[in-house]
Structure formats: C-alpha cells, structure tokens
Amino acid sequence: MTAFAHRAERVQPSAIREFLALAGDPRITSFAGGYPDPTLFPIEELHKIYDELLSAANASALQYAASDGLPELRALVAARLTADGMPCVADDVLITQGGQQGLDLSAKLFIDAGDVIVTERPTFLGALIAFNPCEPDYRSVPMDEEGLDTDALEEVLRTTDRVKLIYVVPDYQNPTGRTMSLPRRRRLVELAEEHDVVIIEDTPYRELRYEGERLPTIKSLDTTGRVIHLGSFSKILAPGLRLGWALATPEIREKLALLKLGADTQNGTLNMRAAAAYLSGFDIEQHIAGMLPTYRHKRDLMLATMAEHFPPGITWTRAQGGLFTWVTFPQRLDVAAFQRDVLIPRSGVIVVPGTPFFSERPEANHARMSFSGVPDERLVAGVRAMGDLLREVLA
Amino acid sequence: MTAFAHRAERVQPSAIREFLALAGDPRITSFAGGYPDPTLFPIEELHKIYDELLSAANASALQYAASDGLPELRALVAARLTADGMPCVADDVLITQGGQQGLDLSAKLFIDAGDVIVTERPTFLGALIAFNPCEPDYRSVPMDEEGLDTDALEEVLRTTDRVKLIYVVPDYQNPTGRTMSLPRRRRLVELAEEHDVVIIEDTPYRELRYEGERLPTIKSLDTTGRVIHLGSFSKILAPGLRLGWALATPEIREKLALLKLGADTQNGTLNMRAAAAYLSGFDIEQHIAGMLPTYRHKRDLMLATMAEHFPPGITWTRAQGGLFTWVTFPQRLDVAAFQRDVLIPRSGVIVVPGTPFFSERPEANHARMSFSGVPDERLVAGVRAMGDLLREVLA
C-alpha cells in the first residue's frame, strides 16, 4: 500500500488520548485530563447568548466568516491583551481553534525537518504532538522553582545549531504548575534576541492565578517582535467552544492566518459570535475571579491529602495557579507500570505518567496530576487510595 | 529575523481570501464565494437544539470531548454513509473541522516535499492551499463533460514518478460544476490500484443534486482501501458550525485522527452535540430535498441570464448540482484584469478569476461563478451588467 509521508513515523498514539477515553468511565477517578470544572461554566449566560444569536434575523451566525476570525471578537481579545500589557489592535490577533492550533501553525511556519525546538523539561505533551509532524529535533532545558533555567538555556543555545523556536508555558506550566520568574523572563527574551530565535509563549492557564503577583507576559517584554503569544478561552470560558488566539507581528500573523485558512478555513462562526457577545455583554473578569476560590480550594485539598497520605520520598510542586501538580516518585518507580498494574485495577485512579512530557531523555518516575475535575470527596478518596498503594509498592 | 520554514514560500495570499473580504460590502454583488443560501439554514430547529443543549444539566456540551469526534455523531454520520453505499461504523469515521481539515490532514499523512499530487484541471483552490504547506509537486489532468479524462490520467501516472495522491471532486465539482461519469469513476479506481496511489474523494456538494441520477461514490467502488472519502455539513446544514467527516480504512483513519489531535485537539463539543441532535431529531433528507428547488431555480436563472446577456464567444458549464458554473472567455481576456479594472469599478460585481484553480500551467480566461448566495433580482442585474461590460471590452 502507498507509503505514508516520512513525518507519519512521528505521529503515534499518545498517553493522554488513551486516558481521555478512560476518563469517561464513571468508575474512574481521573486526575489525568486538564479539564476545567464544568460546574464553573457560565452556562446561563451562554444559553441567553445562543438564544439571541439563533433567531432568524441572525442567519449570518451560521454562515462562513473571515478566516482570521470575526473582527469584533479580535477587537475584544486585543483589548484584553492590551490591558495585560501587550498593546495591540484587532488586526494583530488571529483567532485559532483553541490554543492547540496556534502550536500547529507556529511549527508549520518555522520548522523544517531537523530544525531544533527548545522546550522546558518537562513540557506540555500536546505541544510535542503539534510540533512532531514538522519533524523537529528537540533540546530540553531543566526547570527549578523559578521556571526555565536560563543559564542552562544559554548553554544549549551556544552549543546547538539550527535552533528556531523556544517553547515555554511561563504561567502555571503544564505539567509542573511552575511560574517563570520575572528575571528569567527578561533573560529568556535577551537570549532569544542574541541567538535570533523565536519564542512561543503559551498561556492557557495565565488567568487562573490563586496567589502571587501577576507577572508581565514574555510578549510584553519583547521589543524585537520575536514572541508569538498564544492564549485560549478553554479555561476562562469553556473548552467545548474551541476558541483561542495568537498575537504576533504583522508578518508572522499574516503567515499564520494563511496557514489557518488552508488548515480549516476558519473557526466556527456561531461560537465566535457567542464569545464576542459574552465579552461585550458580560463581565469575564468577574467570572474568572469567581472561579478562583474553587480551584484554589481544590489545589489545597489535593496537596494536603497528598501530604497526609503519600509515603515519604515523594515530592510535588505547589502551583500558584493553573490545574496541575507534578509529582516525583523515587527513581525506581515506573509510574506507567504502577498505574497499569496496580493503580487502575485496585483503585480506579488515573494520572498521566510523566514520560511523554519529556521532549528528549524521558524520565519514568513522575506523574502529572490535575486537581480541577474531580469532586472533593472523590478527590480525597482517590489520593488516599493512591497513597495506600504507593506505600505498599514502595515498602 | 529568524527565517521561516521552507514551506512558507508556498503559503501566499489567495484570491478567494481577498474576495471573501470584499463580499461583506453591501454594494458588492458577489458571485465569488461558495456560500450556501442563508435563508435555507434550519435555524428554528437549531435554535431549539441549542436551547436544550445549554441547560445546566448539559454542561458537558461545553467540556472537552474525544478528539476524533463525539461517538454519537460519528455513528449518525456512519449511518448516512452506509445508506449512500459505503458500509461503515462509527469507528471508521473521523469528525473534521469542515471538509477543509480533511484535506490538510490527508496531505500531512501522505506528502513529503517533492511527492506528486494529481488534480483535476481546474481544481478546488482551497485544496491547493491545504496541500501546499507539504510542498508537493502537481500534475493536472484535463476534464470534459464526463469529468476527469482517465486516459490522460493514465498517461500521467505512467510517466510520473512519486505520485502519492489523486484529488478529485466527483460530484458537481468546484469550480466546474461537472460530474464524473460512472465509467470514469470505475476507471479511476482501477488506475489508482494499478499505480498504487491513494485517492482523496471530496464530496461537499454531493447532496445538492438538481437533476441526473445519484452516482456511486468512488469510495463505494474501492475494494483495496485506497480512497479517503471527505464530506461536510457546510452545504447541507450550515458552514458556521465547521463540521465535516473523513471515512477511511482503520490504518489511515487512525493516523488522520492522531494528526487532528495535534492540529486542534478536537472539534467544538457544542456544535458536534448540535449536529448529532439535528440528525437524530429532525429529517435532514427532507431538509436537503427542500433546499434543492431554490438552488435549481438559481442555477437556471443565472444560466438563462448569461445566455441572454453575455456576448458570443463565451461558454459555461451547466452543473447538475452544487453551487458553481465555470465560465470560459475568449483567450485574450484576462479575467483578473477585467475584474479589477472594469467589472468591480463599474458594476460592483465580483467573480473568482480562474487562475488559482490550476495546480500548474494556469489559464487566465476563466471564472468561477456561484449562483447560490445572491437574491434573484440582484443576480439578474449583476449578470446583465457583467454581460454589458463584456460586450464592451470584447468588441
């Protein structure tokens, strides 16, 4: 049979996809997905909005629209980005099919086979899935409590040919929950300039901040137009609408828009109309502020339960925002095997084993755990059951 | 500044994108876009559906869902494809972001730079935009009233190395409106088998049939699993929902699904739920049948008005379905220049000049005209004004 393209070798089933399938099973307690809490969706407001949009006078809400996104939605997103320290106008913004599409388009624009993408270590596995079809090589840079280690980054940039992109999630990173400090952000931009590299700043969790100060985005520190800033409505409005955005210089944005046109013509008109109506008719800042206590509580509950029930020798991050904690087990524990052989069969709990979050040289003794999607009682029971099983296997 | 990837050279502004922008101007009479008639959208039914979906009990309609599409929607699409002579089940179907995404994913799966895609001559320009980032070479095969000339195709396949894909729109082709005859469909499948090539069968217009018999799809003639069948809800339900599908063998479908996961995670959950509710709660066959007289009337009106008002030496196709007629002018007429210098400034009419519909060796003396999106009176006035101006410039 006709051979696939060379890139197809890089397109393999991912851990997260299998877990998303399992997560639909009501017997499973899933700490795997990065799902927002559905009880926090502004469903009444959206109900009202779709009701108004789907009147006969509004048939245009079901028609084709401009491929780079509805102008009114782009203007409203630009206003929010401006308020967040990134002065811009509607024409600077591209609406994307969630934040994920911004990753696919950015890689398409910059990466030839064999070009290098530098990632955090660990990094968002969905980004690797988006980048892989462009056949990049990867280098990964360690993180500490201040995020990406910029000294280590400097060494990588100094010693590596063909680095085209640096991919970072500076706010409440997926999977570690870590925040990149302001000095590191500044140093990252300096290094990108020195080495003429483009930065992809991915910010899906930026507005889910439970403590600590709001740090400037990397894009806001960028004076040479080398940062592509990606954002998403998935965590602040609803993921089922599949809406995100990309902010970049006109030259880059125009090429991303053309790639988007070829990839899927446009985002759904109805959902773009709805998001615009939500932003103009309701107070999204208040909505976001209203969600934070719930997530903060869930984070605290998960971390406290882990502290109480996990055996010694296990560490985890304390995220100031976002949805995740990154758990590190003794080196001898292979989390994927533990999950398959013990955790799922005996407790029905799932996490995401850490291996696929490494762009190179994977480590098997980590897990990403999300505290957002599970009701309190199940969360506590699940973490406790996991602790009991860990005690047993690590004894 | 950091260099773009090599493929970016193939990503250039397209004619259709500029026209879609112009088409929003109320002073313009647009025969350019392939827009369905918005007065035919089942907006009352969709209103009812979204109203029910957006109740608090249905927050899951706003949540993440499986990346290859909601199982219930895939099952409903599979049932319709089965009824159309392509026996399949839900697991054989991938939900895509409109038909366009199926083109992007298929090229990603099969095309390395320098591989050859064979297209009809002319072909859908949106497909070329989807394919171009994979850096294919193209060969184009002439058409006649029976569609793709399979003798010419045989010659191309015999004399060309690295042919991986043949892209066809067999039903009411975009841009010509032509239908591929049954003997040609059979011969196409034979030739693809002989030369071990994959066929992409793109069918967005298949169900808009105004006359003639329903021919078997190419997929239904495929015994070796080498046809990727693409379809879309854009013309039978509403384009603003961005929903389409791909039907392929398990091996191909699985790879397309993984590429989709990387490209945009998933389609919008809410819109997939709505489409599933529409298919299960309403009679889409009756809805489609109800649209046909309007489109048939519009086609007849445009062709009759052209016959009355266009000067001699101009020919056009008579489509048995779909949205388009392909107009061929005397060789000396450059349609793009005529449109820019005469047609738009003096009549406010726009068409799509034919050049970008050629995957190689473009011809400048054609235009694609859509009869679907313009009210009758404006349609007649626009065609008449165009005829008057053509008389003048061709005199």
Side-chain angles (χ1 to χ4, degrees), chain A residues 16 31 47 67-68 116 126 134 139 172-173 178 252 262 264 268 283 290 305 318 320 323 327 345 347 361:
Chain A
I16 217 170
F31 303 130
H47 192 179
S67 67
D68 22 1
V116 174
C134 292
R139 297 291 179 280
Y172 327 123
Q173 194 232 20
R178 286 180 180 133
I252 292 174
D264 66 2
D283 185 346
T305 311
R318 185 173 183 285
Q320 296 192 313
L323 305 177
V327 185
S347 73
R361 294 177 290 121

Side-chain angles (χ1 to χ4, degrees), chain A residues 3-312:
Chain A
F4 291 149
H6 189 257
R7 73 175 65 80
E9 290 168 26
R10 300 282 292 266
V11 179
Q12 299 296 336
S14 89
I16 217 170
R17 188 150 167 266
E18 286 164 41
F19 292 125
L20 291 186
L22 259 187
D25 185 329
R27 295 164 301 181
I28 293 289
T29 298
S30 175
F31 303 130
Y35 285 27
D37 183 337
T39 66
L40 301 176
F41 297 151
I43 195 159
E44 279 178 40
E45 293 85 344
L46 289 170
H47 192 179
K48 187 163 179 290
I49 285 168
Y50 280 86
D51 184 51
E52 283 171 19
L53 284 175
L54 288 167
S55 67
N58 263 328
S60 64
L62 294 169
Q63 186 57 285
Y64 287 108
S67 67
D68 22 1
L70 280 186
E72 62 261 40
L73 179 58
R74 288 193 282 127
L76 287 158
V77 169
R80 296 192 80 237
L81 296 174
T82 299
D84 194 12
M86 297 168 280
C88 62
V89 296
D91 280 351
D92 300 321
V93 173
L94 174 71
I95 301 298
T96 57
Q97 179 80 349
Q100 185 73 19
Q101 188 176 43
L103 302 171
D104 173 74
L105 301 178
S106 299
K108 273 180 171 168
L109 182 54
F110 284 104
I111 300 300
D112 285 312
D115 285 344
V116 174
I117 301 177
V118 175
T119 73
E120 294 163 317
R121 178 171 178 81
T123 187
F124 172 44
L125 75 86
L128 301 177
I129 295 172
F131 300 156
N132 282 341
C134 292
E135 301 176 87
D137 287 338
Y138 292 109
R139 297 291 179 280
S140 61
V141 173
M143 307 174 76
D144 59 23
E145 290 313 306
E146 283 191 69
L148 187 78
D149 177 340
T150 40
D151 291 341
L153 172 64
E154 183 172 16
E155 182 65 14
V156 166
L157 292 175
R158 206 176 52 74
T159 57
T160 312
D161 287 334
R162 297 184 62 179
V163 176
K164 299 286 287 287
L165 294 176
I166 303 172
Y167 171 69
V168 291
V169 183
D171 301 302
Y172 327 123
Q173 194 232 20
N174 183 351
T176 66
R178 286 180 180 133
T179 303
M180 196 185 303
S181 70
L182 182 52
R184 295 275 178 92
R185 290 174 194 230
R186 292 195 198 283
R187 185 66 185 139
L188 168 60
V189 170
E190 279 174 13
L191 288 170
E193 284 175 20
E194 267 175 49
H195 294 270
D196 192 20
V197 175
V198 167
I199 297 169
I200 302 178
E201 176 184 40
D202 193 10
T203 68
Y205 313 103
R206 177 167 174 77
E207 301 185 72
L208 299 185
R209 178 165 57 92
Y210 315 135
E211 63 191 47
E213 57 178 338
R214 186 183 187 103
L215 295 179
T217 63
I218 293 166
K219 179 75 186 164
S220 72
L221 306 171
D222 170 32
T223 56
T224 58
R226 63 181 64 254
V227 177
I228 301 174
H229 177 88
L230 302 179
S232 171
F233 281 107
S234 292
K235 275 74 187 185
I236 59 174
L237 190 54
L241 304 181
R242 305 304 305 136
L243 291 169
W245 57 83
L247 170 66
T249 59
E251 189 195 12
I252 292 174
R253 199 211 74 108
E254 168 70 2
K255 286 286 190 190
L256 294 177
L258 290 168
L259 285 163
K260 160 129 186 115
L261 178 70
D264 66 2
T265 314
Q266 58 160 102
N267 272 69
T269 312
L270 181 64
N271 291 345
M272 290 195 285
R273 283 277 193 96
Y278 186 80
L279 289 178
S280 60
F282 297 89
D283 185 346
I284 193 170
E285 314 310 333
Q286 195 186 342
H287 168 64
I288 295 168
M291 296 193 291
L292 301 182
T294 301
Y295 286 127
R296 187 186 294 117
H297 161 76
K298 283 195 177 295
R299 177 201 60 179
D300 292 345
L301 186 64
M302 177 173 272
L303 300 191
T305 311
M306 282 162 54
E308 193 178 343
H309 294 285
F310 275 18

